[in-house]
Every structure is written in structure tokens, then in C-alpha cells.
Amino acid sequence: MSTPAVEFGLGIQGDKPAGEYGRLAAIAERYDFDVISVFSDLMFSPPIFPLLEMAAATDRVRLGPACWNPYSMHPYEIAGQLAALDLASNGRAYFGLARGTWLGDVGLAQPSPLGYLAEVIEYVYTLLEGKGRGFEGKHFRLADGVTPRFPIARARPPLLMGVWGPKASALAGGIADEIKIGGTANPAMVDIMRARLAPGEIKAGRVVGQTRIVLGAVTVVDLDGPAARAKARREVAMYLAVVAELDPTVEIPTDLLDRVKAFVADGDHDGAGRLIPDDLLDLFAFSGDPDQVAAQAQKLIDAGVHRIDFGTPQGLTDDRGIEVLGEHVLPQLQAARSAVAL
């Protein structure tokens, strides 16, 4: 079996009407994207609806959520939705899991995140295995003899974990097929994450470097580069404070973050975006004209990333962003697709 040395994906937000997800996925597949993810952010559509629509409209691209969390969905429900997506896509689903963000806004506590993540993963794969061997954890229980009563395409769709910190990364290094560092376009994070994964890989007896690394961030690309960067600034301003605190290589003056937060709190995203300097923007978004975005992506490829996910909104409009990526950015990066054996 072989896979591209570097893959390219899209991250889609669940804010579109019915019919749009399948249409956009079909366009992306024609442009030779490898993966399409649907975000599982609060107050947007649960990802299973867009993903099933995409599965019906595509034949090749891999599909999955980025990411389910172990607090808002019981692992029984996660297993069922994952199995349904894998069945609908003829074995193209991946299992995306992360601890989740901003869940306190809907009254969900997040105790013992590492324990919850580890147990959900074991529970899901135990159930999909279909042998009825049960699972007894601290947080979740699956009785002996319980098995799915519908067809299962694969007992173990590949696992992607959304992680940042050292402890979660070490956990992922022992069990995940790939990890995603969401909200960053910073090449320096590749080496940092590789070092954070290694203890878990070693403990599990895996090859160091076996876990594939995915980076993804807000993307706005257009032939009108300045307009694209202006829109990217508005998008980044909404989550800059959260992600900046997770990146150990970036130091943002406290007064700048406070001013950005204040503008965002007042609903002035344009004002917040104007505060973000170019060098900071390039660490947290892919933005500009096709040459600028391709150059950013190439830096990640040179750093050793395994996949780049170009996140929502992709462009000044959804269609145009995907088209510009497919027609003008990916062709500049084709050399990175040289296949490697797995």
C-alpha cells in the first residue's frame, strides 16, 4: 500500500444549507484533494449530516469529523456514527477525536480529559470489533455480549486525535494514526509535536515518527491577495487568544491580545483583525494570493508535515476558495505528493 508523502485536505464548517456539502465535496474531489473534514464546533451542524451528504457525492476522498469530543457524545453514539459514515463511504471514514473547546458555554464540564479520550477510543474500537468482549473503564462501561446489529465496514477506521499539549500528544503517540494541530500554520510546531509524540510511541513499542502530523488553519486565498488577507485577519481574530496560548514558540504582547479580545467582544472583528501584524497572521492562517499560500504550505512540507488542511472559509466565497486552491495552489505543491510505502 502507498499513500502520498504529503496530503492536502479541506476543513469545512457546518454552516451551510442542505445540498451545499455534497456539491463542495464533489468540487474538491475533482481538484484532487485527499481528505475533507467537517468541524464539530459548538452551535454549528453536527458533522455527521454534512459528512453523509459528502459520502454520497464522492468516491475517493477520505472523510471525518474534526473532531468529536468525549463529553457531548457518549462513545456508543460516536461508534454508531463512525460506523455509519464508514459504511456510507465504502470505508473512507476516519475517527476524529479531541477534548473539545468552549464546552462550558453549553454547561458541559471536562474532567479527566486524558482518561476520557483513552476510554472512548477503546470503547469505540471494542464495540466495532463485534466480538462482544465488553469494556470496563472508570468513565464508561460496555457490557459483555453487546455487538452492533448492522453491517460494519471496518472494525478500526483510522484514528486522528486533535492535540496540542505534551500529555495529550504522548497519549496520541501510543494509539493514534495521525494527530492534528488545529488553528496553526506555524512550521516550528512540527518538530515540537514530533518530540511530544515520541514518548508515547516509544512506550507503545511503535516506531518513533510513525504518527502522521497534520496542521490546519483558517485559509483565505484569492487572486486579490490583500482582500484575502483582510478577511483572514477577521477570521483569526476570533480565536487568536485561545490558540496563541497553546503555541510555545509564539510570544504575543499581552496588551495586543487584550485589545484584540476587546474588539472581538464588542463585535468589531474588522477592528480586531487590523491589529494583527503580518508575521503573526502567517503563523495562524494561510492567506493571500496563490503564491503566498503555496509558499506558506511549502514551509510546512519542508518542516516534515504529513498533511495540510486548508480550513474554512477557504476564500472570499466557498466555491472560489476551493477553485483557487485546486487550480493555483495545489499544482505548485505536486512534487510533495511523491508516494511512499506504508
Side-chain angles (χ1 to χ4, degrees):
M1 178 182 178
S2 65
T3 190
V6 178
E7 293 183 309
F8 300 102
L10 292 177
I12 303 294
Q13 188 58 277
D15 59 352
K16 308 179 198 322
E20 277 295 283
Y21 300 106
R23 189 181 67 82
L24 291 173
I27 294 171
E29 188 167 76
R30 288 199 299 270
Y31 282 122
D32 210 24
F33 284 94
D34 302 289
V35 182
I36 304 177
S37 303
V38 175
F39 299 129
S40 185
D41 294 340
L42 288 179
M43 299 299 110
F44 291 93
S45 171
I48 190 62
F49 161 58
L51 287 166
L52 288 174
E53 189 177 294
M54 291 175 174
T58 58
D59 299 305
R60 178 186 53 78
V61 291
R62 292 191 289 120
L63 301 165
C67 289
W68 284 314
N69 73 77
Y71 301 103
S72 62
M73 286 176 63
H74 191 279
Y76 162 76
E77 294 289 350
I78 293 176
Q81 292 191 19
L82 174 61
L85 176 61
D86 207 38
L87 194 63
S89 64
N90 295 311
R92 292 183 282 130
Y94 75 79
F95 173 15
L97 191 70
R99 62 171 293 176
T101 306
W102 301 305
L103 298 185
D105 291 350
V106 292
L108 291 174
Q110 294 176 277
S112 307
L114 297 184
Y116 268 70
L117 289 169
E119 287 194 14
V120 167
I121 293 163
E122 186 170 355
Y123 186 114
V124 167
Y125 285 143
T126 297
L127 183 56
L128 295 186
E129 182 185 48
K131 296 182 178 179
R133 59 187 177 91
F135 170 76
E136 191 74 43
K138 181 178 179 181
H139 309 288
F140 301 104
R141 176 179 178 273
L142 177 66
D144 289 342
V146 174
T147 59
R149 299 187 180 184
F150 65 97
I152 302 297
R154 292 180 296 173
R156 194 192 184 285
L159 172 65
L160 176 145
M161 293 181 68
V163 295
W164 269 91
K167 292 182 179 179
S169 300
L171 172 66
I175 55 179
D177 298 282
E178 54 187 3
I179 62 94
K180 182 173 182 178
I181 321 169
T184 184
N186 183 4
M189 282 304 303
V190 177
D191 279 345
I192 288 173
M193 191 56 65
R194 191 176 288 114
R196 290 178 175 181
L197 291 166
E201 292 171 327
I202 292 169
K203 184 177 180 180
R206 306 175 85 187
V207 175
V208 173
Q210 174 179 338
T211 314
R212 292 172 63 86
I213 297 174
V214 182
L215 264 69
V218 160
T219 302
V220 187
V221 61
D222 194 83
L223 301 183
D224 183 346
R229 288 180 72 80
K231 183 171 182 176
R233 281 187 167 86
R234 294 193 296 272
E235 297 287 334
V236 168
M238 290 185 280
Y239 71 87
L240 177 63
V242 173
V243 180
E245 293 176 355
L246 299 172
D247 189 328
T249 74
V250 177
E251 291 187 12
I252 303 176
T254 302
D255 63 330
L256 173 59
L257 274 182
D258 289 343
R259 291 168 65 202
V260 170
K261 290 178 184 177
F263 274 103
V264 171
D266 289 339
D268 186 357
H269 294 161
D270 287 326
R274 284 193 292 269
L275 296 174
I276 300 173
D278 284 340
D279 58 346
L280 192 59
L281 178 65
D282 288 341
L283 295 178
F284 296 104
F286 301 101
S287 67
D289 63 35
D291 290 344
Q292 289 174 296
V293 171
Q296 284 186 272
Q298 188 61 54
K299 289 180 181 179
L300 293 180
I301 293 167
D302 294 342
V305 75
H306 297 96
R307 186 168 90 234
I308 299 169
D309 278 352
F310 296 108
T312 193
Q314 281 89 41
L316 301 182
T317 65
D318 293 334
D319 289 55
R320 186 58 180 154
I322 295 172
E323 289 169 3
V324 174
L325 285 168
E327 293 178 2
H328 299 281
V329 176
L330 294 195
Q332 297 188 52
L333 304 172
Q334 286 304 315
R337 288 185 183 272
S338 301
V340 293
L342 281 185

